[in-house]
Amino acid sequence: MKEVSYYPGCSLHGTAREYDESLRGVCHLLNIQLHELEDWTCCGASSAHCTDEGLAFQLAARNLALAEKQGLELLVPCVACYSRFKTAEKEVKDHSERHSKEIQFPYQGNVPIRYALDFFCEESILEEVKRKKVKPLSGLKVVCYYGCLTVRPPKVTGIRDYENPQHMDRLMELLGAEPIQWSYKTDCCGASLVMTRTDIVRSLGQKLLSMAKEAEADCVVTGCPMCQSNLDTRQDEFEKEGGQTFDLPILYFTELMGLALGHRDVKKWLGRHLTDPIKVLESKGLL
Amino acid sequence: MAEKVGAVMVVGGGIAGIQASLDLAESGYYVYLVEASPAIGGVMAQLDKTFPTNDCSMCILSPKLVEAGRHLNIQTLTYSEVVSVEGEPGNFEITVRKKPRYVDPAKCTGCGECPQACPVNIKSEFDEALVNQKAIYRPYAQAFPNIFTIEKGDRAPCTLTCPAQINVQGYVALTSVGKYKEALSLIRENLPLPGILGRICPHPCEKECNRKELDQPIAICELKRFLADQVKEEIPVQKEETKEERVAIVGSGPAGLTAAAFLAQKGYPVTIFESLPVIGGMLHVGIPSYRLPREVIDQEVKAIQSLGVEIKTNSPVGPNLSFDDLFKEGYQAIFVAVGAHRDQKLGIPGEENPNVIPGVVFLRKANLGQKVEVGQQVAVVGGGNVAIDAARTALRMGAKEVNLFYRRSREEMPAYEEDVEEAEVEGIKFNFLSTPVEILSKGKEGITLHLIRMELGEPDASGRRRPIPIQGSDFYAEVDTLIPAIGQVPDLSFMQGMGLEVTSKGTIQVDPITLQTSRKGIFAGGDAVSGPWIAIEAVAAGKEAALSIDRFLRGKDLYEGRGKPKPSKARFEDIYAGQSKSPREKVATIPLEERQKTFAEVKKGWTEEQAHREALRCLNCGYCSECLQCATLCKAGAIQHQMAEEMVKFKVGSIILCPGFDEFDAIRLTPYGYGRFANVVTSIQFERILSASGPFQGNLLRPSDQKPPKKVAWIQCAGSRDMAGNGGNEYCSSVCCMYAIKEAVIAKEHHHEVEPTIFYMDIRAHGKDFDAYYERAKNEYGVRFIRSMISRVAERPKTKNLLITYIDPEGHLKEEEFDLVVLSVGLTPSKGAKDLAKKLGLQLDPYGFCKTEEFSPLQTSQPGIYVCGAFQGPKDIPETVAQASAAVTSASTLLSDVRATLTKKKEYPLEVDVMDQEPRIGVFVCHCGINIGGVVNVPEVKEYAKTLDHVVYVDENLYTCSQDTQEKIKKAIQENRLNRVVVASCSPRTHEPLFQETIREVGLNKYLFEMTNIRDQCSWVHMHQPKEATEKAKELLRMVVAKASLLRPLKEPLVEVNRKGLVIGGGLSGMRAALKLAQQGFECALIEREAELGGNLRHIYSTLEGNDPQALLKEIIEEVTKNPNIQVFTKSELKTINGYVGNFKSTLYVNGSEKEYDHGVIIVAVGAKERTPTEYLYGQDPRVITQKELEEKIALHWEKINSYRHIVMIQCVGSRTPERPNCSRICCSLAVKNALKIKEKNPEIKITILYRDMRTYGLMERYYTQARHQGIQFIPYQLDSKPELRVDSGLLNLKVKDQILGEEVLIQPDLVVLASAIVPYENESLAKTLKVPLTADGFFLEAHMKLRPVDFATDGIFLAGLAHFPKSISESLSQADAAVARATSVIAKGYVSVLPTISEVDPNRCVGCGLCELLCPFSAIRVVETERGSKAETIAASCKGCGVCASSCTQRAITIHHFTDEQLSAQIEALAPLKEKEAA
């Protein structure tokens, strides 16, 4: 039994419920116990980081301080939260003297902050997945979409292959799916501009989905709630933009893990998507 | 101090090394040319064309290869590396390691047959991994030496893992090309039982297979079975002659059979004593036939018997037949291989019950066809192979249900995974973590098994988790039969009292290396020694025992050379790179119902297609597979797979390093997708794609689909000028702009439809005539240039086209699709060079290039060791070649007192006078292995030759060029008094000098030789028309024989040379040249038109690198004026010049009076000057000055400069315009230098530089970077919107359109500095006097822009400094030294040899029209006034025999010796009669 602290963040309690549910489901099957941080608050990703640097730091530090008290590694499924936390961690490590004065919470920078995708791609967990896999995702062609913040900025994430990451591809291969190599793994989907520049969002989203389609993917796999909701909910707009029908389900990697591990709630998770994934999974004999 | 040595080592065989070696050897030094790769030639050999002349790179390189390769005083050590250097300047002791080629250079003729036999494909390094080559290869067709090399890595892991050391990679490779018989025979060298092991071997090799990292390991075992099944014919076995000593073997299992087979091959009579009624031991009685059919055993046993092995069944050794009895019967050695046939007991109550049958007993009975009743319910206990075999056998014998109980879990089961899976499919029920504790009898009906469940605790000694009984978990099973199968031990009861020692484990004790037991002459192996283990180990033991017994019987040392070899560090890099995945071939099984009832073999064999597919999956980890096919094929016997490396020691006085560069590893530029996207290639790959000898035979195709690309993009600065820290280098690689432009132009020439686009930051076309080339590319070829740096390339998944996002000239973001993207990768110091520098203790610069000083650019940090070429800094070919020659001057200056002490001169016998003799022609026709002989009927051609006039001797040779054939030819000449020799074989280019040498050695003049090429132009091009090719060969031969009968001996006269030099121009280059000549002991005159020496250097006060030019000036003037070998004439000019190389007579104007000067060579170093600008108010407003004036002001009147607030510099004033299309090369760095100097003195002064392309090429890029960091502003402008300068209300107003902003900018500077063009002096009259050409710009034009950068086409005249083209101080110094080296190679010898194959004018016919003089490219023929009027005459020392004069002479007054009209007409005549016959 492995135990970790868990910070779901606002998305996973709202628009990305299926991400939360599937992640919890997968952890259950893999014998990983999640301890949700008590009294967690906003990470600062929504507006704080572009309006008040100090506040943005304090918000992240408050949650990290809670985690530090628990003394476990902290599992963070939302990539925006992850980025805020890693930034705060770097701040503390690079400028300890500065922050020891400002900081209102006893955060020392000692919590291992683990983004969910990185966490599940660890060798020991992959081994466990391999052992417990009951339904290989044979015949399912996927494109892995890491988005922008999963791997960048490398100074913050510490990831080396940030230009062409491979870990999600390896995970998908292990689940029995066929990850297709494509050039748009880490391109921006435009989610941060959905309120301000919808024209840019449309052209970015259209490009991504048309390339995924050209790669003959059955679905797009991601680990970012913003990418997922942007690409899923606006798909009709993107279709209009390019005059091309996509009908491409945008799935969380945890949902496919759950499917391969035989979780009984998979259909419930998948039912929450706007672009229906059930149809394509059924056609492959996977549901 | 040790005595100086008149030899030099040159490290690196690229163009620099070749040039340095040739200059050294010609200047009187013996040269060791050390090259790491198998051939000299370097990167230049890989290039397609060279800029700016579009010459074929190979065509201009290849004569140099031949020249260097054949030079008497150059010893090339290829495939070699420097191990150590000791000693001091003048006397170094060198050790060089010659890596084994596995091909004997003395025997290899380069015929090119061997690759066809090689089954192994590896990536071709020469073709930049675009295609495959064989493991035995020659980098390229023109390679010198023309010898093949076998690429070997470490042995493949499969072979290393195999206990019997079977050459797995070898047989897999042979299978991939369908050579099944050869493959099987390779297996048999180590394993006489391939069909058996191909079925039952647990194949530990596959666990180590490198392919598992990619997908799944190769199905090695299955391939073995395929081969054994596929090859029906008998494999002949080499058997040694029969020996007397007889050998007895106890046991006919795999160990016994193997030992018997190998001993029988050695010639020993062998008898096997087998206690069982059948042969094969456990193979027969242990393994059921559904896994190993009996006929397979029978067949392989039969093959062993056919070697003469006698097998006695039912013949147990024991009390009735002891070892002593065997010795008494005359056996002289015994091998005991009795296996492990006794079962281990469960050790629980009730085991003696008759319904309990031990596994081995059960299997033995079943396999011998004895009846065994198992009932309906069977329980098997155990997790090994015997347990699984017993369970499956029980099922086949009628059991309804078979339950297998194992005390651990499935993961710990020792049985083979495949067998467990098969058993599961067949319906065996597995019960893990349970073990019996008691057997309760139910009488006749069977037994009740009392079991207990287990759980796994901590790992035990075997590494597996120890099972622990769970208290109270007892359960019961009702069964009819219980088969315990928990292990076996050897049954050694038979040999009690026979004197063999036994271990505590109950096995026979042996010496681990020799397998000898405690009794001399008795050996043991297999399961009897190891305990129950895998069959292939038993085979290995049998093989070792056979070796021991042979040595024992021959009285040899049993231990010598044995013991497990230490596995060396494996070298399997990059074997997965670019490999696509392909799944392991599946094995079919017979239907399940058959499997449950019958003993038919479960697994079906493979079809040929399946085996082929599987074999092709092999990654060839060890490169050469040692299948030995090449050795079998090579008719010259050159292949030596056992070759070892060799250490060579020699002494030299100096060392020149030119190890070249590596291209930047594009894989590091991840965003460009190199290595991931098929159609993203490097520039050097693109060179190969363009090359006629490249992967697509010169068709411009893209890698993904081999279709011609239309839109091709170049991305410049890939890995260069990279400040982002993405793994790129900070410096500029200097050559990429030009090669990209050239590639774009050549691509366009290949296919007119190609649309090339070059994305760049600055176009750096800073070399001579480069800008004109750039303009042509833009305007004539339509190459599109876009100034935009590309951040990434995306691939379209289906078409594999590439998407590039860039900013267009209007500032808009654009996305464009291309078919092919070329990355203009930069140059980095080669890895080998870095290692070498470490060994020599050389300092490197921060980028890893060899550290040198600005004013001594070739001197490394170690005295006596010099550097040239790209290891000194990125540079193009002409600079490299010039530096190579310059390095020679450095070495030569050090060693001039031991010049010509070690060079060799060949002595030949006195030449036979043949002029009075009738022609007696000997003809030698070559088979060239099967290159010619496989197509042309050589014996027929030979017979035909006999019928030709004057032919008195004819022979045919397998390889006419081989060493022994030379002796044959000499003998034939002497015995038959031949006076003309003809060889019909391959290319005269490579082979004519060899044969000429041969005939000279027996006193024939070398011009009495003729050659015709019946290979390249006959057998190769007509390989499918042997009959016609044979006829053509006859015709070719007939023609050449006709010419040969008219051959005349020619003399090669020597003309003495005057060893003095004349240097024209007293600037830095001229002074340096004079000084270097003088320092080597040659006198010279230095003439300068000004009153003072120094030239431009007098006006230079600083350099970018911070050195003091004025100090340099002072020092060199002092040295020049003091040196007694130099006569300095100031205020002087050259008036007239007469004569030719080695013998010039000049008239000089010295201070108004004339002076005669005789000399052998001339160096032209007349310099160039800054143009006086006519634009930008220069001369009208004092606030507009030139860079030269600025430099002087900074140095001498700083207070003036210091008063300015804003200084603007304008670049390209008078350069790169339609009138003067070329770049002045030095102005960008000059501007940066002066700007930095100002900033250094007063950072407050604002500086703006208006430029078109910043050309701070090479390592100077760092100063450009520094300038930007210092806040110097750079604004690009375009030629069509030049800056405008006006004076308004007394203020300077400068308007410029910023190309990046797209907006007009207004500046009000205090000072405007013009980077005015560097222009030549009025050189026309000097050029006319010297009869040398000028470029359109008025600079002197060298003989060849790439390979002869300091020579003129006219012999004996050389070029240096700004007279050639604008250049920096350090470049001028190199070039001056280069000119000296070239001049020295003429005067050092003291003579020039005159080519005899030159023109001669018949004065009776000549009318003195002068056409020949006009046309001669070498100024080697001139019209002179004679008593009989104007007549042309050849200047023999300058003539190259090109024939332009002879073919253009309207009077037919000119003859070219050796190609006379008579000879050529005879040749044509010889062909003509055939035509007449055909017409008839």
Side-chain angles (χ1 to χ4, degrees), chain A residues 162-164 173 183-184 187 207 211 214-216, chain B residues 581 671 676-677 792 794-798 803 815:
Chain A
Y162 54 94
E163 298 282 9
N164 183 31
E173 197 168 1
S183 293
Y184 293 84
D187 274 42
K207 182 90 196 173
M211 284 299 150
E214 195 170 307
E216 296 181 333
Chain B
K581 294 186 180 187
R676 281 185 287 140
F677 307 154
R792 75 103 169 254
E795 186 192 52
R796 298 201 64 165
K798 261 195 200 139
L803 293 169
E815 188 180 68

Side-chain angles (χ1 to χ4, degrees), chain B residues 105-175:
Chain B
K107 288 186 179 158
C108 178
T109 63
C111 77
E113 282 295 312
C114 42
Q116 291 161 36
C118 180
V120 175
N121 288 313
I122 58 175
K123 292 259 173 256
S124 160
E125 208 175 304
F126 187 77
D127 274 326
E128 296 288 326
L130 288 164
V131 281
N132 285 334
Q133 63 173 32
K134 297 298 187 179
I136 186 162
Y137 69 104
R138 170 175 55 186
Y140 53 102
Q142 300 88 336
F144 179 88
N146 183 13
I147 300 170
F148 279 76
T149 303
I150 298 177
E151 183 76 21
K152 287 196 193 190
D154 286 319
R155 292 199 134 188
C158 44
T159 304
L160 285 175
T161 311
C162 179
Q165 301 282 291
I166 300 173
N167 181 354
V168 177
Q169 194 200 328
Y171 80 73
V172 173
L174 287 168
T175 310

Side-chain angles (χ1 to χ4, degrees), chain A residues 31-99:
Chain A
N31 249 344
I32 299 164
Q33 197 176 350
L34 302 176
H35 298 279
E36 186 165 336
L37 288 186
E38 237 171 82
D39 193 29
W40 59 266
T41 48
C42 172
C43 69
S46 50
S47 53
H49 77 286
C50 46
T51 50
D52 185 333
E53 205 185 325
L55 177 64
F57 172 74
Q58 299 285 1
L59 282 169
R62 181 183 180 278
N63 291 304
L64 290 170
L66 292 177
E68 208 161 55
K69 229 188 284 168
Q70 281 193 346
L72 297 169
E73 47 183 338
L74 176 64
L75 186 61
V76 186
C78 170
V79 85
C81 307
Y82 170 68
S83 186
R84 290 318 310 153
F85 287 175
K86 286 297 276 188
T87 308
E89 179 190 46
K90 192 168 158 48
E91 277 287 303
V92 166
K93 284 188 173 159
D94 292 355
H95 307 289
S96 55
E97 65 308 323
R98 193 169 87 202
H99 288 289

